[in-house]
Amino acid sequence: KRHLWCNGKDISWSHLVKLYHLNRSSQAPGLAMIPKLKYEHICLTNYSKMRVDLAAQVLSSSVANGIKVTQGAEAEETARFAEQFDKFFDCLNVSNSFVGKQSRKVFKNPYRSATDFRLKWLEELLGYLDSWEASVREREGYKDAKAVQNMMLLPLETRQGIQITVKSFVEMVKYIFTIPEVDIFYSNKLCQDSLENFFGQQRQRGRTHENPNTSQFLKNTQALRVINSTCATIRGNCRGSKSKDTRQSSLEIENNAPLRKRKTKSKKSES
């Protein structure tokens, strides 16, 4: 179990739990400082741990501000961690030209040039991770205990994944704006949720058969086209798109009640 630590302070899940209980114990009924922070965000199951939407809501600016207000300097690094990754998510999830103004978050504005300030900020995010690692490696009393030091950091695979994502994204945005016809870019267009949902539907079609051949895969694909190829999986870790086009093309079932059965004639009426 990890015990994240940075610059002399803990980055702890207990700070989020404390914020949740403070949020619930509000003296004003029906009012909450962070209304989106609910039981399912704190008491996680093996399945809910994979839900991206819960992670995005926990690592948000509202949660970071709530921690700063209620717990002060003690939870400073936890708040900073949530704030940094909230901006990171925003940089990679720009969906349209209006979401930045609607949410009052400049990191959600569309990209319009290769010199956008967010590209420099993303590189600074890597600097934040490097400084975090440096503070752990130099911590007194733990310099010779590398295994213990590693438990104070994000997993190596996670850090490498962030580095690959940031460097690839920055270079790609710079390249895109060298194309004469491009004057705006929405980073959400790179999202792979649609692909993940598609293969989730393929697994549902195959049931326990996990290794379909080419013919079976094509049959499943054709069946999904006929039924509803854009409907999100029920038990996937993607919650489905909220875009207008997806909602219109999705099959919406408003009533799950069984159909009425046909009445059978009684024996007396037949006689």
Side-chain angles (χ1 to χ4, degrees), residues 204-248:
Q204 287 179 350
R205 293 288 304 175
R207 304 296 179 181
T208 57
H209 184 46
E210 297 180 350
N211 297 294
N213 56 34
T214 305
S215 177
Q216 292 168 335
F217 183 85
L218 292 175
K219 287 180 180 179
N220 290 340
T221 302
Q222 185 63 26
L224 291 172
R225 287 175 180 169
V226 174
I227 298 171
N228 191 2
S229 63
T230 59
C231 183
T233 54
I234 296 174
R235 292 189 59 81
N237 63 340
C238 300
R239 298 293 93 188
S241 175
K242 296 181 181 179
S243 65
K244 184 177 180 181
D245 295 338
T246 305
R247 287 201 306 270
Q248 289 178 344

Side-chain angles (χ1 to χ4, degrees), residues 43-263:
C43 300
L44 300 173
T45 64
N46 289 335
Y47 168 66
S48 64
K49 288 177 182 178
M50 298 187 295
R51 285 182 52 182
V52 180
D53 59 327
L54 295 183
Q57 289 165 358
V58 168
L59 298 176
S60 64
S61 58
S62 58
V63 169
N65 292 332
I67 291 174
K68 290 177 183 178
V69 170
T70 58
Q71 301 176 55
E74 175 189 358
E76 180 182 358
E77 286 299 327
T78 303
R80 184 185 178 192
F81 179 85
E83 196 170 34
Q84 292 284 336
F85 279 90
D86 174 65
K87 293 179 180 178
F88 179 54
F89 295 155
D90 288 347
C91 287
L92 302 181
N93 285 280
V94 179
S95 57
N96 56 59
S97 300
F98 312 105
V99 65
K101 292 181 179 179
Q102 291 172 348
S103 60
R104 299 179 182 179
K105 301 177 77 173
V106 295
F107 279 78
K108 283 191 173 183
N109 289 330
Y111 293 85
R112 296 185 183 276
S113 72
T115 58
D116 192 287
F117 75 96
R118 283 165 292 187
L119 302 182
K120 183 178 180 181
W121 182 89
L122 285 169
E123 294 176 349
E124 291 175 354
L125 175 65
L126 300 182
Y128 163 70
L129 297 177
D130 291 339
S131 64
W132 178 359
E133 182 176 5
S135 68
V136 170
R137 300 302 182 198
E138 296 174 2
R139 185 177 181 182
E140 291 294 334
Y142 295 92
K143 291 185 177 180
D144 297 328
K146 192 169 183 179
V148 178
Q149 288 180 346
N150 291 337
M151 299 304 289
M152 300 179 192
L153 299 166
L154 292 175
L156 177 61
E157 295 80 6
T158 302
R159 284 179 278 146
Q160 289 178 342
I162 293 172
Q163 289 175 352
I164 293 171
T165 300
V166 168
K167 292 180 179 179
S168 302
F169 181 79
V170 170
E171 293 302 320
M172 185 200 62
V173 172
K174 290 180 179 179
Y175 170 75
I176 284 176
F177 283 104
T178 62
I179 303 173
E181 296 81 5
V182 176
D183 57 1
I184 193 169
F185 171 65
Y186 303 126
S187 56
N188 183 258
K189 301 303 180 183
L190 302 174
C191 181
Q192 295 182 348
D193 284 356
S194 299
L195 187 63
E196 185 174 345
N197 285 332
F198 172 72
F199 281 101
Q201 291 165 357
Q202 284 281 353
R203 288 193 294 271
Q204 287 179 350
R205 293 288 304 175
R207 304 296 179 181
T208 57
H209 184 46
E210 297 180 350
N211 297 294
N213 56 34
T214 305
S215 177
Q216 292 168 335
F217 183 85
L218 292 175
K219 287 180 180 179
N220 290 340
T221 302
Q222 185 63 26
L224 291 172
R225 287 175 180 169
V226 174
I227 298 171
N228 191 2
S229 63
T230 59
C231 183
T233 54
I234 296 174
R235 292 189 59 81
N237 63 340
C238 300
R239 298 293 93 188
S241 175
K242 296 181 181 179
S243 65
K244 184 177 180 181
D245 295 338
T246 305
R247 287 201 306 270
Q248 289 178 344
S249 59
S250 296
L251 179 63
E252 296 181 1
I253 301 175
E254 297 181 357
N255 189 354
N256 289 323
L259 297 174
R260 295 178 61 183
K261 295 182 179 180
R262 182 179 179 181
K263 292 183 179 180

